[in-house]
């Protein structure tokens, strides 16, 4: 069973990556982090591209990316034309970034839905909560943190 989060809309949305990770070649990482002990990884090709975060405090931020490989059964829940992965740790930094994102990039005509869906236990009954765009706050998104099947509709 896996709990996934999505953001879906009738119109395209802006993709963002505040995950805290950067894509970097091993040789470049060796230049910017000379004290990092890469020897523990064995003989790593200097041309290999890896994901790197300087420290834990940089990770867990808002990431919205196109859902080009959706889980089986997603169509039972989401009927919007544009579907995106919604990722992050749902901590205070993430909730602040998500609130800022909605305030900057979401319009009422987009009819945005934010979903939390647990896959692997059959089709779930969904809980739906609707809010107007001007009612959105950091606390609005906490419903998505652990619910097995819920949808927050922003109108």
């Amino acid at each position: 069973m896996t709990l996934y989060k999505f953001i879906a809309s009738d119109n395209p949305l802006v993709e963002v990556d505040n995950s805290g990770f950067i894509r970097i070649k091993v040789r470049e990482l060796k230049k910017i982090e000379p004290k990092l002990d890469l020897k523990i990884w064995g003989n790593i090709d200097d041309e290999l591209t890896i994901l790197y975060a300087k420290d834990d405090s940089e990770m867990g931020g808002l990431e919205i990316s196109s859902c080009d490989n959706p889980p089986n059964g997603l169509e039972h829940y989401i009927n919007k034309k544009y579907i995106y992965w919604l990722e992050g740790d749902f901590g205070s930094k993430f909730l602040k970034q998500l609130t800022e994102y909605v305030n900057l990039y979401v319009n009422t005509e987009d009819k945005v839905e934010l979903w939390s869906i647990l896959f692997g236990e059959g089709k779930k009954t969904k809980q739906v909560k609707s809010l107007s765009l001007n009612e959105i706050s950091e606390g609005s998104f906490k419903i998505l943190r652990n619910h097995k099947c819920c949808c927050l509709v922003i109108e």
Side-chain angles (χ1 to χ4, degrees), residues 9 21 38 62 64 71 79 88:
S9 176
F21 289 99
L38 296 176
L62 175 66
I64 296 175
N79 297 313

Side-chain angles (χ1 to χ4, degrees), residues 122-137:
K123 189 175 176 186
K124 301 276 182 225
T125 303
K126 63 184 173 189
Q127 295 176 324
V128 179
K129 180 178 179 180
S130 295
L131 291 174
S132 67
L133 192 54
N134 61 3
E135 293 177 292
I136 293 299
S137 69

Side-chain angles (χ1 to χ4, degrees), residues 31-54:
K31 290 177 188 174
I32 65 170
E33 292 287 347
K35 294 180 182 175
L36 192 63
D37 186 10
L38 296 176
K39 293 178 185 142
I40 61 171
W41 295 349
N43 283 337
I44 298 176
D45 182 356
D46 278 353
E47 295 305 309
L48 180 68
T49 300
I50 61 171
L51 290 175
Y52 172 73
K54 188 171 184 125

Side-chain angles (χ1 to χ4, degrees), residues 79-92:
N79 297 313
K80 298 288 184 186
K81 183 174 181 179
Y82 299 94
I83 303 172
Y84 302 85
W85 297 107
L86 175 62
E87 298 182 272
D89 65 5
F90 277 80
S92 59

Side-chain angles (χ1 to χ4, degrees), residues 9-74:
S9 176
D10 290 331
N11 299 311
L13 295 173
V14 174
E15 294 185 46
V16 297
D17 184 355
N18 295 314
S19 65
F21 289 99
I22 59 170
R23 292 186 186 281
I24 189 168
K25 292 198 181 280
V26 171
R27 96 176 114 66
E28 293 301 318
L29 182 58
K30 288 177 181 177
K31 290 177 188 174
I32 65 170
E33 292 287 347
K35 294 180 182 175
L36 192 63
D37 186 10
L38 296 176
K39 293 178 185 142
I40 61 171
W41 295 349
N43 283 337
I44 298 176
D45 182 356
D46 278 353
E47 295 305 309
L48 180 68
T49 300
I50 61 171
L51 290 175
Y52 172 73
K54 188 171 184 125
D55 60 53
D56 290 347
S57 67
E58 294 183 8
M59 299 185 318
L62 175 66
E63 186 174 0
I64 296 175
S65 58
S66 181
C67 182
D68 51 6
N69 187 18
N72 290 332
L74 184 62

